[in-house]
Amino acid sequence: MIQVKLELDQMFSFISKDQLLEYDKHIVSAYRKIYNKTGAGNDFLGWVDLPSAITEQEIASLEAHAAELRKKSEVFVVIGIGGSYLGARAVIETMTHHFSALNDGGNNPHIVYAGQHISEDYLADLLDILDKKEYSLAVISKSGTTTEPAIAFRVLKAHLEKKYGLEEARKRIVAITDKSRGALKQLADNEGYVSYVVPDDVGGRYSVLTPVGLLPIAVAGINIRELIEGARKMEAMSRAVQKIHGNPIAWYASARQALYNSGKTVEVMVNYEPRLFYFTEWFKQLYGESEGKENKGIFPAGVGFTTDLHSMGQYIQEGLRILFETVISVENPKREMLVPEADTDLDQLNYIAGKRLSEVNHKAEQGTTLAHVDGGVPNIRIVIPEINADTIGQLIYFFEMGCALSGYMLGVNPFDQPGVEAYKKNMFALLGKKGFEAQTAELQARIKQ
Ligand code: PA5
């Protein structure tokens, strides 16, 4: 049974239930495009049945390889960017000790990331650590030619070879890439790295339930069977109920579309658990790259409360009225802690002494929701009983399908990202890459360097 609950009560004062139900025909049509593969980008629908299609043999082989890597790695470096990085990080950070880097004695390798930007300082700092630690790495790039991970891999490959020698370094590198095209595939074959395939019909941001996400997640010690099982439940629900009634994904996609059509063009994903920070980053990439095109689309943003109530809270309460919030609410934390009683009560907190922090957090959520609704910010609430691999698996599929439905309802191709090329062309021209020289002079003149 799926445990993700959707609550729309706090948006019904902005968009009525009847108004939402008018979107049913659009949901039915979008679902038809997805399951009959008749919509734009229909050669990128491999993610739709990934949870049910993955075999026992594939799972067992990922687990066995992850166990081997775990044995020899104090640190495991995940090299990738965008969809080749955020899914793994989102899942790993939801289920790892908040202070894992300082939490000595844990059995899990510490997972670190590289190739998600081009910061020289970051990579140099990482090498300081890797000099002193046993490590291995996964280099993940579907195209195999993305600049950021390619630079990081060059640096870390050289470091690994120097540290362990060529033969052992080769055993410590895993390549996850396209099955036949691309530089990384060729390099992996030449060097004899163990490699995994990113299926042709699965785009980067929909690839967390392929080895792109599953291998690093398994290396981190997270149960990938439960994650896949959670996603399977959501997949089954989605396939069985391709309309609004009885389908929380369809309600969510309709609510977003109705809010967008009423002028709410920014969706702020809200969490009250810091371990959901990277889940929000994953959501932002999924929706931003899928919907933001042809001069349309909801801008996906994210905040962590109550922290950001002391920074972004003011804008949300009283700034431009173009926002709506989607709150991921977690009913039960993993740990228990009470507010202590104090003799003096100088901070005047004794009225909540003995209460669990989670109760205080929930009251903060309720109070914030009502304040923001009063301030003109509609609220969508997505509730899970607790954060575990199963519920995160459910959420992953919920948001993937919600994104595809939203894209089709908006009238865009949710599976391409043509706009991402613009910065790359300019960067290549400014760096003097062969084939891009024609633009170099003009770009240099514009930036006056
Ligand atoms: O979702 C996408 O397709 C992108 O975000 C890609 O994942 C990202 O650009 C990285 O591409 P690649 O895996 O080819 O290195």
Side-chain angles (χ1 to χ4, degrees), residues 121-379:
D121 283 350
Y122 180 94
L123 217 44
D125 283 357
L126 179 58
L127 291 193
D128 289 347
I129 303 302
L130 297 180
D131 280 342
K132 295 177 242 153
K133 299 282 181 189
E134 300 300 325
Y135 80 100
S136 36
L137 66 85
V139 52
I140 309 174
S141 177
K142 184 169 176 177
S143 62
T145 54
T146 307
T147 308
E148 293 88 340
I151 291 175
F153 182 54
R154 267 200 187 204
V155 171
L156 291 178
K157 178 177 179 288
H159 184 268
L160 204 62
E161 287 172 356
K162 192 163 167 228
K163 181 170 172 134
Y164 292 104
L166 195 55
E167 207 176 314
E168 178 59 20
R170 285 175 171 159
K171 293 186 192 145
R172 288 174 178 266
I173 295 174
V174 185
I176 305 179
T177 186
D178 182 86
K179 92 168 163 302
S180 50
R181 287 166 302 187
L184 183 55
K185 177 63 188 161
Q186 202 183 325
L187 183 69
D189 288 348
N190 292 349
E191 301 273 347
Y193 302 150
V194 173
S195 60
Y196 291 90
V197 170
V198 189
D200 278 350
D201 56 357
V202 180
R205 58 192 177 275
Y206 292 84
S207 69
V208 53
L209 298 175
T210 72
V212 169
L214 295 177
L215 182 78
I217 292 167
V219 173
I222 293 163
N223 188 330
I224 57 170
R225 286 171 192 272
E226 282 177 22
L227 186 78
I228 294 164
E229 187 47 37
R232 270 185 195 154
K233 292 179 203 165
M234 197 57 85
E235 180 195 332
M237 185 285 299
S238 172
R239 195 173 282 277
V241 191
Q242 295 172 35
K243 57 184 169 63
I244 290 187
H245 270 303
N247 181 339
I249 308 175
W251 276 111
Y252 171 63
S254 303
R256 298 178 81 251
Q257 200 57 35
L259 288 165
Y260 177 68
N261 291 338
S262 76
K264 303 293 185 191
T265 54
V266 177
E267 177 175 20
V268 185
M269 177 170 275
V270 179
N271 69 69
Y272 287 77
E273 289 294 340
R275 54 169 87 247
L276 287 171
F277 179 85
Y278 274 96
F279 192 84
T280 303
E281 294 301 298
W282 172 79
F283 156 84
K284 279 161 55 182
Q285 192 231 350
L286 179 61
Y287 280 71
E289 272 194 357
S290 299
E291 281 192 306
K293 44 198 76 158
E294 299 172 30
N295 297 331
K296 35 188 190 180
I298 295 172
F299 183 86
V303 291
F305 287 165
T306 59
T307 311
D308 290 334
L309 285 172
H310 299 261
S311 59
M312 300 304 290
Q314 173 60 36
Y315 191 102
I316 295 172
Q317 190 69 46
E318 295 182 352
L320 272 183
R321 301 299 71 194
I322 54 172
L323 312 175
F324 67 96
E325 289 180 324
T326 297
V327 178
I328 308 279
S329 186
V330 184
E331 280 173 334
N332 301 302
K334 293 180 198 295
R335 315 283 295 268
E336 183 169 334
M337 186 173 289
L338 306 180
V339 178
E341 179 94 34
D343 289 345
T344 55
D345 199 25
L346 282 175
D347 53 12
Q348 299 181 1
L349 281 182
N350 273 352
Y351 77 105
I352 52 169
K355 284 192 195 297
R356 288 185 63 175
L357 263 66
S358 53
E359 187 183 341
V360 181
N361 208 13
H362 278 301
K363 295 297 172 207
E365 181 192 327
Q366 288 169 343
T368 304
T369 297
L370 294 177
H372 289 180
V373 166
D374 289 345
V377 180
N379 186 284

